[in-house]
Amino acid sequence: MYRGFSDVTLDDQVAALHALAARHGDLDLGRVGVRGWSYGGYLSAMAVLRRPDVFHAAAAGAPPTDFRYYDTAYTERYLGLPQDHPEVYERDSLIADAPACPGRCC
C-alpha cells in the first residue's frame, strides 16, 4: 500500500466482489452500491468515480478527498511526505475525478 493505497484498496474491493459473485449466483453485479465513512467514504467515492463499471451507487460520509489536508500521522505512513512525493498525493486525490461523476452526485 505504500505510495499507492488507492489503487490497492479499490482493486481489492473489485476482486472481493467478483469472488462473492462467483460463489453466489444471485448477486446482481449490475446493482452494486457501496458506503463508508472517513477512509471508507473516500473508498466509496473513489469506487463510483474510478470504477463506475463495477460500482453504481455510493454514500460517502466525510471522505478525505485530498490527503494533503488529512491527518498526517495516518497519511504520511502510507504516502510519504507530500513535499517529497506530490505525484502520489495527486494520484490519490479525488478532486480531479469529481467532474466526471457518473449520474447524480451530491
Side-chain angles (χ1 to χ4, degrees):
M1 288 187 46
Y2 187 60
R3 295 191 190 146
F5 59 43
S6 63
D7 297 330
V8 172
T9 53
L10 186 55
D11 290 347
D12 282 353
Q13 294 298 308
V14 171
L17 181 61
H18 288 142
L20 280 171
R23 293 180 130 206
H24 302 282
D26 59 336
L27 187 63
D28 184 355
L29 292 180
R31 298 169 49 111
V32 177
V34 59
R35 69 177 175 91
W37 189 267
S38 190
Y39 186 82
Y42 167 77
L43 181 58
S44 298
M46 180 174 51
V48 295
L49 288 169
R50 296 190 180 171
R51 291 301 307 268
D53 59 312
V54 176
F55 299 98
H56 306 95
T65 54
D66 189 331
F67 285 100
R68 288 174 281 218
Y69 307 109
Y70 195 58
D71 176 37
T72 57
Y74 173 83
T75 304
E76 291 173 0
R77 178 180 341 162
Y78 298 106
L79 301 182
L81 298 174
Q83 63 270 25
D84 294 344
H85 306 286
E87 74 286 353
V88 172
Y89 282 78
E90 188 62 35
R91 184 178 63 239
D92 284 339
S93 173
L94 299 179
I95 302 300
D97 297 300
C101 184
R104 182 176 172 213
C105 294
C106 44

